[in-house]
Amino acid sequence: MMGTSCEFTVFTPTFNRKELLAEVLECLKIQTHRDFEWLIVDDGSSDGTKECVESWIGTTDFPIRYHWKPNGGKQSAMNIGFLEARGTFFLPLDSDDICIPQTLERLRTRWFEIPEEKRKDLYGINCHCRDWETGQLVGEFYSGDGIISDTFEQEFKYGVTGEKWGFLRTDILRRYQFPVDVDRYVPEAWLWYRIDSEYKGYFINEILRVYRQDARVRVSNMLGKYAHGMFFFYSDVINQFIGRIPWTRLEFWKQFVLWNVYRQRAKLSLFRETTKVHGTWKKFLVLFSSPVATLLRLSGFR
């Protein structure tokens, strides 16, 4: 486990994205705040990523650190990133995205505008993305700018949707690890929900990341492929966090339907898995929603 030696760790997990990594490098070269490192964890690339990154090391005024690992999925790469990061703040930046030149400066400025006595109880900052092609905001703005809140409140009370972004305190992240013994893919929300249940975040209505919407298509294709990981996620939401979602919102009911969709795709027994659901009313709802899930699956839902 590393100590901290800079303010930000910009973390990029990658797999066979050599050409796109060069775009990330260029956006980091023009950051107006310079106290950061770039940590790349390579999930077993075979396209020359290693040689490419090694040719960059020593050519920039910020450290570039490269870690290669056998292919095991993005979450296993993120687990390594949490432990290897040397920055006080951990900023994930995927290999197919970039950020604006003022990103680190704005994140730092907004963080230190928070009174010190409040910062110790916050996990980090949440901000917004704009679409790579249209330049438009992805989703909606938060319910306010410079507010202390959490993902559950913003998403399920105020209906804020769309890809969001931000940094987290490294010291908090190091207390968590994604499960890697369930499937090669578990949604990142599995970890963010856990952190949200213990800490609050600082939400700002600034657009700092440029997001490729086609990434959403790739993720939707993965969801059907990794049914066990998705079922694990929805099981956890129902058992641990469903009480944070108002029952009057559609999202509340979707958790039970999707639990069944991925249970069916993973070929798991309804009755056996229902015994693992905590609470009689939750058991009833997973049983009640099973026929709906069957209809969705037969209609081609992935």
Side-chain angles (χ1 to χ4, degrees):
M1 183 183 296
M2 299 292 177
T4 58
S5 59
C6 55
E7 282 198 324
F8 288 93
T9 290
V10 179
F11 170 70
T12 302
T14 190
F15 176 68
N16 288 340
R17 295 277 187 83
K18 179 178 66 174
E19 292 79 10
L20 292 176
L21 278 176
E23 297 179 6
V24 180
L25 174 64
E26 292 306 311
C27 87
L28 295 179
K29 284 181 176 179
I30 58 175
Q31 286 299 304
T32 54
H33 180 70
R34 308 302 298 169
D35 189 9
F36 70 93
E37 65 166 355
W38 187 23
L39 173 61
I40 302 166
V41 175
D42 185 346
D43 191 35
S45 294
S46 58
D47 66 343
T49 292
K50 181 177 186 292
E51 293 75 15
C52 184
V53 173
E54 287 179 344
S55 73
W56 298 335
I57 294 174
T59 67
T60 61
D61 65 349
F62 55 88
I64 299 175
R65 295 196 294 126
Y66 175 80
H67 183 103
W68 187 93
K69 60 177 286 297
N71 184 256
K74 181 180 178 181
Q75 276 64 38
S76 62
M78 294 184 73
N79 285 343
I80 292 174
F82 299 161
L83 298 177
E84 289 291 323
R86 294 174 179 170
T88 303
F89 309 120
F90 187 93
L91 183 68
L93 184 63
D94 284 348
S95 54
D96 55 352
D97 295 326
I98 61 172
C99 54
I100 69 170
Q102 300 81 19
T103 292
L104 298 181
E105 178 183 359
R106 291 304 302 155
L107 289 173
R108 184 183 189 278
T109 297
R110 297 304 302 266
W111 179 251
F112 286 107
E113 76 183 17
I114 307 168
E116 184 176 359
E117 65 273 12
K118 292 185 178 180
R119 289 201 303 267
K120 62 182 177 59
D121 297 320
L122 302 178
Y123 60 72
I125 284 183
N126 298 270
C127 61
H128 296 284
C129 307
R130 65 175 169 88
D131 182 82
W132 184 285
E133 295 184 354
T134 68
Q136 299 299 307
L137 169 71
V138 179
E140 296 85 27
F141 281 119
Y142 299 124
S143 60
D145 178 67
I147 60 171
I148 294 176
S149 183
D150 59 60
T151 302
F152 292 102
E153 183 175 54
Q154 292 300 310
E155 183 175 350
F156 300 122
K157 179 178 180 180
Y158 295 108
V160 177
T161 63
E163 182 75 10
K164 304 304 177 190
W165 194 46
F167 75 75
L168 295 95
R169 285 167 41 194
T170 305
D171 64 322
I172 291 176
L173 272 179
R174 284 181 178 151
R175 303 173 195 170
Y176 299 88
Q177 289 276 283
F178 282 104
V180 294
D181 56 347
V182 178
D183 210 337
R184 291 169 59 86
Y185 175 82
V186 173
E188 291 177 33
W190 180 88
L191 182 61
W192 310 147
Y193 284 176
R194 271 174 159 62
I195 295 174
D196 257 343
S197 68
E198 298 186 41
Y199 298 89
K200 295 287 188 179
Y202 195 62
F203 289 70
I204 63 173
N205 281 328
E206 296 193 32
I207 304 172
L208 301 179
R209 172 188 171 202
V210 184
Y211 174 65
R212 295 182 196 259
Q213 290 276 32
D214 65 336
R216 180 179 300 171
V217 176
R218 288 195 300 274
V219 170
S220 67
N221 290 337
M222 290 175 66
L223 302 188
K225 183 177 179 182
Y226 298 115
H228 284 89
M230 294 302 298
F231 177 74
F232 174 83
F233 170 70
Y234 284 106
S235 295
D236 201 55
V237 170
I238 289 172
N239 280 327
Q240 303 292 333
F241 307 116
I242 196 67
R244 302 288 304 275
I245 308 174
W247 70 269
T248 53
R249 298 194 67 88
L250 178 62
E251 287 296 326
F252 175 92
W253 303 98
K254 281 176 62 176
Q255 310 307 307
F256 294 94
V257 173
L258 291 171
W259 181 92
N260 272 294
V261 167
Y262 292 110
R263 176 193 58 76
Q264 292 175 8
R265 291 190 64 90
K267 296 180 171 56
L268 299 172
S269 164
L270 172 60
F271 296 104
R272 183 183 305 115
E273 297 305 325
T274 300
T275 64
K276 303 174 186 177
V277 175
H278 304 164
T280 302
W281 66 272
K282 296 177 187 177
K283 295 179 191 292
F284 173 78
L285 289 179
V286 296
L287 290 170
F288 179 78
S289 60
S290 181
V292 180
T294 300
L295 291 174
L296 277 176
R297 184 172 57 84
L298 293 177
S299 69
F301 177 82
R302 291 186 297 180

